[in-house]
Amino acid sequence: MCGVCGTYSPSGVTDRSTAAAMHEQLVHRGPDETYSLNTESICAKLGRLGFTGLTDGWQPAEDRGGRYVAMTNGEIYNARALRARLGLDGRGNGVDVSVIPELFARYGFEGLHLVDGQFATVVLDRADNTLYLARDRFGICPMYYTQAGSQVHFCSELKPLVRCVDRPRKVDLGAVDQYLSLGNIVAPRTLVEGVRAVPPGCAVRFDADGSRTLRYWRYGEFAPAAEPVTGEALREAMRESVRARLEADVEIGAYLSGGFDSTAIVMEAAALSDQPVRTFSVVFDDPGLDEGRFQREVAQAVGSKHEQIACRHDDITARFEEMVRHCCYPQRETYNVAAMMLAGSVRDAGIKGVVSGEGADELFFGYDSYAFDGLARARRASHAENEQAWGRPDFGWEVDHGKVARRREGFLTPSAREALTGDEFWRSRLIPFSDQEVRQLSRMQLRSIADVYVQMSGHLLGDHGDSMVMRHSVEGRYPFLGNSLVALALQIEDDRKMADFEGKACLRSAYEGIVPQSVLRRGKHGFTAYDLQSSASARTWDDWRALVEASGLFTPGCLERPAETDKWDFRISAISIAMIMDELGLTC
């Protein structure tokens, strides 16, 4: 994993100072080496966090014909198979991402659908003088861009891009409404007006005539297999996905939450390794939050070298603002402080990468909400807004429209609410499916798609994933998102994923007798840490209240609202958005 940034101008007038300034703020993403790409139309820099090709790999990489040149952040786990498919002899560039320009040369941008991995790539087509910015299937690696006159500026992180491209910036009220309604911001939107995120599974093509977003893959092509997918097949796909993500020229550790997902990964990793796996966990003083006994049970079962990092009330208060100002993404809970601390401990232990369990709940119906979707007699409220956002009036994902309206009234100033009119969250289609396609999906399948594009890509893999691990120069790897395992998940019937009100039933069955029984039958325990207000001193809360009121976006007194008990604490969202506005100099 690395950090890439730069400026493209089809006219040939390129501001090289902007790329240099952004790169200086990305050193934590790639402290090992720096590479540059300079032509008449592009200036790009990449800071490398090296995992493969440490002695025989380099960037930028070119295809054999010299038409395509690329700077790529991330990992291509099936690079060996792709090289064989492309007829490469393996004696050239040893870094895995060097296959990207060859894929473009053979198949165009559509060739990216062959990649099993995580990446954000910058590809220049020298023949047409066009630029492609592309991300992996699920958006594990971030990529942001903004256009200023004839120039396109791009960066792996939002903050360097906004700070280094000198122009007045406003907060995107539509993105704020997405967050207050969904608890997430959905790509291509960001919190900054005029700054976009490349959507997962897409490439954005730029030339002298403008830009166009091109999709090469989407999650949600459900197609039951002719023969039922067996537990053995699931185990084999999981094992191979873990194996691929452990391959590196450096040691890869593992996150161990104590839940089923991370435990299954650790069990496979231990079976594949000749040495004890390095595992890392967060523990809390509060018994209602702490999963330490399950973590220790699994670590003992596999013989891992285990480290537990204690997160206390004082840590939340002391580091919440640091975390927000680093990632510049709104928050709805405090757990990211623990995630940032955990990544720091991984790096202190000399580990540069970790495998983690994100993706299992979305692909195998692990959340409680899937059980309610499976109830045939459940009443479904219909809203026209749902049809516009999701393609079905009776599907609202996690949104209660009455509560959303009251939240806008309670948090946003009258001027902000007026400016928001016509740009509310539901006015954009939030998933890449048409009305006709949505009608062919079961409710659980539709929820899975919404979970992937709304919950996982922006939040779990974004501010909770990439931003927290890369804060300390650590790479996160996600075996549940391997191509083969995802393909199998799309072939498994709904009632084998959610059976007898138990999510991930087919996965649990596959790991019966392997994962400890105490973990195998545990209910879902989400990422949770201490409440922010109970952790903060009165003076700190007063400082944050002043920041919220100074933003001009939020209603004075909104922090005095009681915390919502049935979802998230949106007072945290108001505080974090105000912090980001201050950090980036955003106005309303």
Side-chain angles (χ1 to χ4, degrees):
M1 196 80 83
C2 314
V4 63
C5 61
T7 297
Y8 161 76
S9 176
S11 67
V13 181
T14 305
D15 179 4
R16 301 182 187 279
S17 64
T18 302
M22 288 190 289
H23 177 67
E24 286 183 3
Q25 298 184 33
L26 289 177
V27 174
H28 55 279
R29 297 188 68 92
D32 295 342
E33 292 179 277
T34 295
Y35 297 112
S36 298
L37 169 62
N38 293 296
T39 73
E40 288 186 358
S41 58
I42 190 171
C43 173
K45 289 187 176 293
L46 182 141
R48 186 186 187 195
L49 182 63
F51 287 86
T52 64
L54 300 184
T55 59
D56 62 348
W58 63 86
Q59 293 202 56
E62 299 183 6
D63 72 289
R64 286 167 292 186
R67 175 173 177 172
Y68 296 96
V69 57
M71 299 274 270
T72 305
N73 156 27
E75 310 292 340
I76 309 300
Y77 299 116
N78 62 337
R80 189 177 296 110
L82 290 176
R83 286 189 177 113
R85 177 176 183 143
L86 295 166
L88 302 176
D89 60 17
R91 290 178 292 181
N93 193 335
V95 71
D96 53 339
V97 296
S98 65
V99 301
I100 293 288
E102 292 287 355
L103 287 172
F104 267 75
R106 178 74 64 87
Y107 305 108
F109 79 93
E110 293 94 340
L112 295 175
H113 86 276
L114 298 170
V115 172
D116 183 6
Q118 53 196 75
F119 65 87
T121 188
V122 178
V123 181
L124 180 68
D125 181 344
R126 286 170 165 146
D128 292 342
N129 194 27
T130 57
L131 177 75
Y132 294 85
L133 301 179
R135 289 174 80 188
D136 60 78
R137 292 180 170 200
F138 290 100
I140 299 170
C141 295
M143 177 63 78
Y144 301 97
Y145 66 92
T146 188
Q147 295 178 261
S150 63
Q151 297 189 118
V152 178
H153 305 281
F154 51 88
C155 190
S156 292
E157 292 186 359
L158 181 70
K159 182 162 69 172
L161 181 63
V162 174
R163 281 184 161 184
C164 297
V165 178
D166 188 18
R167 59 185 298 183
R169 293 291 183 188
K170 297 179 66 175
V171 67
D172 187 322
L173 288 175
V176 172
D177 193 58
Q178 281 189 353
Y179 205 85
L180 292 180
S181 305
L182 305 167
N184 288 291
I185 298 174
V186 183
R189 277 201 126 119
T190 74
L191 196 60
V192 185
E193 192 175 277
V195 178
R196 289 289 180 257
V198 177
C202 289
V204 183
R205 182 183 186 272
F206 301 89
D207 59 22
D209 297 323
S211 64
R212 187 155 56 104
T213 299
L214 309 165
R215 181 169 294 280
Y216 66 84
W217 188 84
R218 65 178 182 176
Y219 171 75
E221 305 287 350
F222 294 93
E227 296 292 332
V229 176
T230 65
E232 291 77 11
L234 279 174
R235 280 282 318 278
E236 179 60 26
M238 182 67 164
R239 186 180 305 113
E240 290 308 310
S241 190
V242 172
R243 187 195 306 275
R245 283 151 183 80
L246 292 178
E247 287 186 5
D249 296 337
V250 298
E251 186 177 5
I252 305 296
Y255 278 169
L256 179 56
S257 70
F260 169 78
D261 308 336
S262 64
T263 298
I265 290 173
V266 168
M267 301 295 289
E268 295 292 0
L272 291 167
S273 179
D274 295 332
Q275 301 295 325
V277 177
R278 300 287 296 276
T279 53
F280 301 86
S281 302
V282 173
V283 293
F284 300 94
D285 294 333
D286 186 338
L289 302 175
D290 188 54
E291 300 179 82
R293 71 180 182 91
F294 298 103
Q295 299 161 1
R296 291 187 291 272
E297 180 180 357
V298 174
Q300 184 175 8
V302 301
S304 69
K305 184 179 179 181
H306 188 57
E307 295 187 32
Q308 292 183 316
I309 295 86
C311 179
R312 301 181 174 85
H313 273 90
D314 290 348
D315 295 316
I316 299 297
T317 303
R319 305 197 66 179
F320 180 78
E321 189 160 348
E322 172 197 347
M323 177 271 294
V324 172
R325 289 180 180 273
H326 166 69
C327 70
C328 284
Y329 194 88
Q331 305 295 305
R332 62 196 192 201
E333 53 200 355
T334 63
Y335 189 83
N336 273 359
V337 173
M340 185 173 68
M341 294 172 62
L342 185 61
S345 69
V346 170
R347 188 62 183 189
D348 288 345
I351 303 296
K352 295 174 70 174
V354 289
V355 287
S356 185
E358 280 73 10
D361 290 311
E362 291 77 12
L363 272 61
F364 292 95
F365 301 179
Y367 298 123
D368 292 342
S369 49
Y370 288 94
F372 295 102
D373 285 337
L375 296 175
R377 295 183 180 180
R379 296 181 61 184
R380 316 292 184 189
S382 292
H383 294 273
E385 296 94 333
N386 291 343
E387 189 163 16
Q388 200 157 340
W390 312 106
R392 281 178 56 169
D394 66 338
F395 181 81
W397 192 59
E398 302 290 331
V399 177
D400 182 317
H401 289 278
K403 289 182 179 179
V404 167
R406 291 191 293 273
R407 208 172 289 137
R408 292 188 190 117
E409 184 76 21
F411 279 97
L412 299 180
T413 63
S415 60
R417 294 199 303 273
E418 181 179 358
L420 178 62
T421 302
D423 200 19
E424 296 89 347
F425 83 95
W426 51 266
R427 294 184 183 275
S428 301
R429 181 56 57 89
L430 298 171
I431 55 175
F433 284 78
S434 68
D435 291 0
Q436 182 177 357
E437 290 173 322
V438 167
R439 286 194 290 270
Q440 308 305 312
L441 298 166
S442 72
R443 290 188 60 83
M444 285 191 280
Q445 290 170 347
L446 181 52
R447 180 175 295 279
S448 178
I449 292 168
D451 280 346
V452 163
Y453 285 104
V454 178
Q455 167 90 340
M456 189 176 75
S457 294
H459 168 51
L460 293 176
L461 298 175
D463 69 296
H464 177 67
D466 177 86
S467 291
M468 295 303 101
V469 292
M470 290 304 296
R471 172 71 177 82
H472 293 286
S473 307
V474 175
E475 176 178 276
R477 299 180 170 197
Y478 307 96
F480 280 107
L481 301 181
N483 288 9
S484 296
L485 193 54
V486 172
L488 289 181
L490 291 168
Q491 296 176 52
I492 298 174
E493 299 85 351
D494 292 3
D495 59 6
R496 292 190 57 215
K497 295 176 183 175
M498 173 59 67
D500 297 325
F501 295 94
E502 180 183 61
K504 297 180 285 197
C506 55
L507 273 179
R508 294 179 192 273
S509 176
Y511 279 88
E512 185 79 46
I514 300 167
V515 167
Q517 196 70 17
S518 60
V519 173
L520 190 72
R521 298 305 170 193
R522 281 191 71 193
K524 177 65 180 173
H525 186 104
F527 297 125
T528 309
Y530 305 109
D531 171 70
L532 185 62
Q533 188 171 15
S534 67
S535 302
S537 67
R539 179 174 180 178
T540 299
W541 195 258
D542 286 343
D543 289 343
W544 289 343
R545 181 186 295 108
L547 196 62
V548 167
E549 294 181 0
S551 71
L553 176 63
F554 296 108
T555 301
C558 67
L559 295 192
E560 275 49 71
R561 290 170 56 88
E564 296 185 40
T565 57
D566 60 340
K567 202 172 185 182
W568 305 301
D569 187 349
F570 285 93
R571 298 174 305 170
I572 295 177
S573 304
I575 292 169
S576 58
I577 290 171
M579 287 177 180
I580 297 164
M581 291 178 67
D582 180 66
E583 184 74 12
L584 299 181
L586 306 181
T587 60
C588 291

